[in-house]
């Protein structure tokens, strides 16, 4: 969004934001002591009747249920849950002598563990809001920097001056303190390692590199950030500023050139550190394992890390001078979408598409990784360690691997003519329809429509580049007409698949609508991002959401308690044997 063309629309959105924020505050405010709604429970074991308050229309406190106790001790070593008096629990003491009711919900599907005003999801209606603002309006009017400010502080920067100031604060910079140490760490890891493992390692290393703000090393202990809120915000800003640099370094570390040589080989050859014989060896290497081994012997050295950091620093400095946004700066630092003249920005469709994906993936309530953030944050750990834990949860294929699965499915279908036959196989349960349906959304994922439009723009840009000549130097590598045609082929399959499935009563009745992952993988592929790098691209914008939850726990009143779920002990349970 430009400052001139979008100022009026942004002003309307900001006004709407304030109204939504007020509405959210009223909705999440603590209920009055005299509860009008209650749940009456008759315990058939004892004949007693219990009245349980219902809060906010559909919430009961687990501590209230724990007051319903058995008439006596249960047989076997089963735990008796401690009944804790909380600000919202009933006042009467537990009675009965036996253990109270324990709620068993292994995946926490029906358990609420936090009160938050950061985001709202209504899966039945297909609604997603950030701080009360519909995601459709967010995507149309805000860029990633503004969204980060909105999630963290409750509103977007209110004036163009504030917006420029905030963009300057978050502008990815490869020259801050300790970035050289981070570069050496990344370049000490084998290229055969997964990029997300490197990203998690880098986030964890930041905790050691910035130990001056570690509660474990402070006399304030767990109250360190609560007593120093400005320091908490400073660490948040540092993470958001340095994480794209970390990702760009990893991209340069792991990316293989189209001809099979790694980026380290290219950089070293350009610097003149490889002999002609060594350069020939690289050109002859065919397997990733052999390449990783050769790289470990020849190229893991400090000069390479310095060169990579210098390249990233030059790109970030130029981007900052040109006023490029968060997404465009990452593209430049990684060499993605850049032509032969690196002083020029990547195609506008590329920058807008990546910024949109960042916005759409910034926050999504208490999913697996955000729940992990809340859990970890309850111990009052530093934010670097907390986001490393959240990123680890995202790394799992059940959470961050859906985009890759969609691409594999499109490749398996192969051609638009095969779409009807593939969907018939889905109906016969012979294969899965990836990118359709969602654990939360029982309607069209509101993010999917935005991603679909961006995919069309990027594919059209690629088509124009293909028509312009036989080869186009984009996305950090040579994209010839054949490769562009491959992206266009997959996009055609995706559009046909969506069209046919949405008009098929079988999928409509089962509420199988496209989700955001259906288009995200295709967009990343079109931008030249390899599939193994997708989780890193997912994690970068989600940092804003994770850190918003971390910040919310820091300022929680009264102070939150450390998470301590209960278990159900099964004596003599089956133990899997050691497998060989």
């Amino acid at each position: 969004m430009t400052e001139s063309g979008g100022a009026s629309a942004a002003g309307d959105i900001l006004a709407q934001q304030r109204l939504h924020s007020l509405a959210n505050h009223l909705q999440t405010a603590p209920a009055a002591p005299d509860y009008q709604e209650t749940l009456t429970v008759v315990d058939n074991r004892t004949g007693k009747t219990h009245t349980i308050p219902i809060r906010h229309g559909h919430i009961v406190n687990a501590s209230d249920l724990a007051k319903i106790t058995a008439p006596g001790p249960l047989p076997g070593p089963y735990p008796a849950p401690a009944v804790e008096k909380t600000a919202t629990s009933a006042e009467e003491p537990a009675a009965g002598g036996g253990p109270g009711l324990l709620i068993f919900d292994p995946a926490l599907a029906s358990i609420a563990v936090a009160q938050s005003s950061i985001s709202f999801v209504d899966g039945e209606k297909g609604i997603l809001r950030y701080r009360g603002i519909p995601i459709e309006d967010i995507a149309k009017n805000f860029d990633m920097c503004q969204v980060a400010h909105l999630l963290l502080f409750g509103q977007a920067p209110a004036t163009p001056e504030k917006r420029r100031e905030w963009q300057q604060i978050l502008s990815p910079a490869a020259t801050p303190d300790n970035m050289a140490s981070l570069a050496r760490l990344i370049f000490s890891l084998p290229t055969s390692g997964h990029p997300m493992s490197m990203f998690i390692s880098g986030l964890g290393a930041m905790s050691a590199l910035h130990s001056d703000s570690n509660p474990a090393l402070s006399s304030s202990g767990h109250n360190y950030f609560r007593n120093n809120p400005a320091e908490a915000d400073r660490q948040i800003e540092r993470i958001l500023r340095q994480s794209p640099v970390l990702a760009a370094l990893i991209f340069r570390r792991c990316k293989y050139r189209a001809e099979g040589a790694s980026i380290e080989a290219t950089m070293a050859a350009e610097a003149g550190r490889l002999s002609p014989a060594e350069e020939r060896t690289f050109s002859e290497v065919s397997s990733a394992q052999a390449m990783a081994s050769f790289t470990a012997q020849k190229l893991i050295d400090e000069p390479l890390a310095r060169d990579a950091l210098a390249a990233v620093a030059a790109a970030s400095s130029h981007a900052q001078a040109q006023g490029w946004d968060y997404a465009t700066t990452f593209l430049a630092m990684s060499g993605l979408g850049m032509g032969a003249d690196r002083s020029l920005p990547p195609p506008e469709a590329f920058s807008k598409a990546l910024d949109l994906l960042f916005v759409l993936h910034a926050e999504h309530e208490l999913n697996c990784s955000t729940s992990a953030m809340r859990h970890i944050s309850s111990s009052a750990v530093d934010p670097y360690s907390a986001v490393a834990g959240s990123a680890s949860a995202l790394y799992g294929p059940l959470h961050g691997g859906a985009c890759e699965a969609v691409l594999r499915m499109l490749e398996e279908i192969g051609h638009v003519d095969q779409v009807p036959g593939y969907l018939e196989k889905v109906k016969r349960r012979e294969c899965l329809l990836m990118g359709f349906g969602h654990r939360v959304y029982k309607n069209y994922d509101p993010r999917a429509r935005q991603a679909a439009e961006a995919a069309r723009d990027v594919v059209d840009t690629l088509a124009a580049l293909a028509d312009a000549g036989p080869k186009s130097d984009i996305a950090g590598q040579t994209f010839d007409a054949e490769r562009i045609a491959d992206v266009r082929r997959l996009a055609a399959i995706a559009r046909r698949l969506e069209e046919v499935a949405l008009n098929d009563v079988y999928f409509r009745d089962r509420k199988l609508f496209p989700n955001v992952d259906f288009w995200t993988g295709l967009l990343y592929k079109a931008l030249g991002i390899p599939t193994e790098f997708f989780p890193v691209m997912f994690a970068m914008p989600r940092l804003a959401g994770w850190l918003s939850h971390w910040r919310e726990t820091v300022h929680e009143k009264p102070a939150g308690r450390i998470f301590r779920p209960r278990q159900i002990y099964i004596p003599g349970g089956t133990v899997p044997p050691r497998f060989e």
Side-chain angles (χ1 to χ4, degrees):
M1 178 185 71
T2 60
E3 288 181 7
S4 58
S8 176
D12 293 339
I13 292 298
L14 288 170
Q16 182 185 9
Q17 168 189 316
R18 295 187 182 98
L19 292 174
H20 278 299
S21 296
L22 176 61
N24 285 348
H25 171 74
L26 294 175
Q27 291 171 7
T28 58
D34 52 332
Y35 302 103
Q36 299 300 317
E37 296 181 309
T38 58
L39 176 70
T40 300
V41 177
V42 178
D43 188 343
N44 292 324
R45 300 170 302 174
T46 63
K48 292 182 179 180
T49 299
H50 303 269
T51 301
I52 309 295
I54 300 177
R55 297 162 174 84
H56 311 304
H58 67 137
I59 299 172
V60 262
N61 264 17
S63 57
D64 290 336
L65 292 175
K67 296 178 186 298
I68 303 177
T69 58
L74 295 178
Y78 297 102
V83 178
E84 300 172 354
K85 182 178 177 181
T86 65
T88 56
S89 64
E91 295 297 324
E92 63 271 14
L101 290 182
L102 200 65
I103 299 172
F104 181 61
D105 189 2
L108 303 180
S110 299
I111 300 291
V113 296
Q115 296 186 75
S116 176
S117 61
I118 298 171
S119 68
F120 169 76
V121 175
D122 185 331
E124 292 294 330
K125 297 178 180 178
I127 293 173
L128 170 62
R129 294 174 183 157
Y130 292 172
R131 297 291 186 182
I133 305 177
I135 191 62
E136 294 85 354
D137 293 336
I138 293 282
K140 189 181 301 181
N141 293 284
F142 293 163
D143 63 19
M144 182 57 206
C145 280
Q146 291 172 295
V147 166
H149 196 285
L150 174 71
L151 293 174
L152 287 163
F153 309 117
Q155 62 179 15
T159 65
E161 292 75 18
K162 291 289 186 182
R163 181 186 171 194
R164 283 193 294 269
E165 178 185 343
W166 177 245
Q167 183 172 332
Q168 188 74 13
I169 289 173
L170 289 199
S171 181
T175 53
D177 52 337
N178 295 320
M179 284 308 297
S181 297
L182 204 57
R184 284 195 294 270
L185 167 66
I186 296 306
F187 275 77
S188 70
L189 300 172
T191 53
S192 57
H194 195 285
M196 194 61 173
S197 297
M198 299 183 188
F199 191 69
I200 294 166
S201 299
L203 293 173
M206 285 185 186
S207 178
L209 296 173
H210 303 295
S211 57
D212 55 318
S213 296
N214 191 333
L217 300 176
S218 168
S219 59
S220 300
H222 68 280
N223 286 318
Y224 177 76
F225 288 114
R226 186 175 289 271
N227 296 340
N228 298 275
E231 185 63 24
D233 288 346
R234 190 170 75 91
Q235 302 308 316
I236 288 173
E237 292 164 6
R238 177 184 276 163
I239 292 173
L240 294 179
R241 185 170 59 248
Q242 293 188 0
S243 57
V245 179
L246 171 62
L249 288 170
I250 295 169
F251 188 89
R252 289 177 177 271
R253 176 72 179 136
C254 296
K255 188 75 172 71
Y256 288 92
R257 293 293 187 180
E259 63 270 18
S262 68
I263 195 162
E264 295 91 333
T266 305
M267 290 170 57
E270 290 173 352
R273 281 198 295 275
L274 289 184
S275 68
E278 288 173 323
E279 290 182 36
R280 285 195 298 273
T281 301
F282 266 100
S283 67
E284 294 167 0
V285 171
S286 57
S287 71
Q289 183 178 3
M291 188 184 303
S293 175
F294 185 83
T295 299
Q297 296 173 29
K298 293 288 185 181
L299 292 177
I300 302 298
D301 60 5
E302 192 167 314
L304 263 181
R306 284 203 306 265
D307 282 358
L309 186 58
V312 172
S316 66
S317 177
H318 178 70
Q320 192 171 30
Q322 297 298 314
W324 294 351
D325 63 20
Y326 198 76
T328 305
T329 301
F330 172 74
L331 290 173
M333 290 190 302
S334 304
L336 284 160
M338 306 300 289
D341 186 352
R342 295 303 172 105
S343 66
L344 299 176
E348 183 181 8
F350 287 17
S351 297
K352 291 176 69 173
L354 183 58
D355 183 71
L356 175 68
L357 289 179
F358 280 178
V359 167
L360 297 179
H361 285 117
E363 162 66 5
H364 204 244
E365 216 185 51
L366 287 191
N367 50 72
C368 176
S369 56
T370 307
S371 300
M373 166 58 82
R374 285 274 183 173
H375 199 134
I376 296 168
S377 298
S378 73
S379 72
V381 73
D382 68 90
Y384 304 99
S385 301
V387 293
S390 300
S392 298
L394 182 67
Y395 186 14
L398 288 180
H399 190 6
C403 299
E404 185 177 352
V406 172
L407 278 182
R408 286 197 300 268
M409 177 189 69
L410 296 177
E411 292 284 6
E412 181 183 346
I413 294 173
H415 193 275
V416 288
D417 294 342
Q418 303 300 319
V419 167
Y422 186 86
L423 290 177
E424 289 303 315
K425 289 170 63 178
V426 172
K427 294 177 185 179
R428 296 195 298 268
R429 300 193 177 186
E430 296 174 8
C431 56
L432 296 175
L433 182 60
M434 308 307 299
F436 278 70
H438 194 278
R439 182 168 177 177
V440 174
Y441 293 112
K442 306 307 176 187
N443 205 317
Y444 204 107
D445 183 341
R447 302 168 297 173
R449 288 190 177 92
Q450 313 295 324
E453 292 178 11
R456 279 192 290 270
D457 290 342
V458 170
V459 171
D460 288 346
T461 300
L462 287 173
L465 288 167
D467 294 340
K471 290 192 176 182
S472 301
D473 181 23
I474 60 172
Q477 54 189 308
T478 300
F479 263 48
D480 57 24
E482 182 180 351
R483 182 156 186 174
I484 295 177
D486 186 49
V487 173
R488 297 172 71 181
R489 175 181 63 85
L490 294 176
I493 295 171
R495 284 195 291 267
R496 179 64 175 156
L497 190 67
E498 180 184 44
E499 177 188 359
V500 175
L502 288 179
N503 286 287
D504 191 315
V505 66
Y506 177 90
F507 299 104
R508 289 204 309 272
D509 286 351
R510 288 161 176 76
K511 299 185 183 298
L512 293 176
F513 301 99
N515 59 46
V516 69
D517 297 317
F518 183 71
W519 291 105
T520 297
L522 182 64
L523 265 171
Y524 285 150
K525 182 178 178 66
L527 292 174
I529 299 169
T531 53
E532 66 270 16
F533 209 78
F534 287 1
V536 177
M537 301 302 296
F538 193 170
M540 261 196 299
R542 186 55 61 86
L543 284 165
W546 291 336
L547 290 167
S548 297
H549 284 269
W550 179 79
R551 190 175 190 269
E552 201 169 56
T553 62
V554 167
H555 293 280
E556 206 169 29
K557 293 181 180 179
R561 307 185 64 196
I562 189 169
F563 276 36
R564 179 57 173 91
R566 302 301 301 269
Q567 72 160 16
I568 299 176
Y569 175 61
I570 306 298
T574 302
V575 180
R578 178 177 180 270
F579 296 97
E580 297 182 3

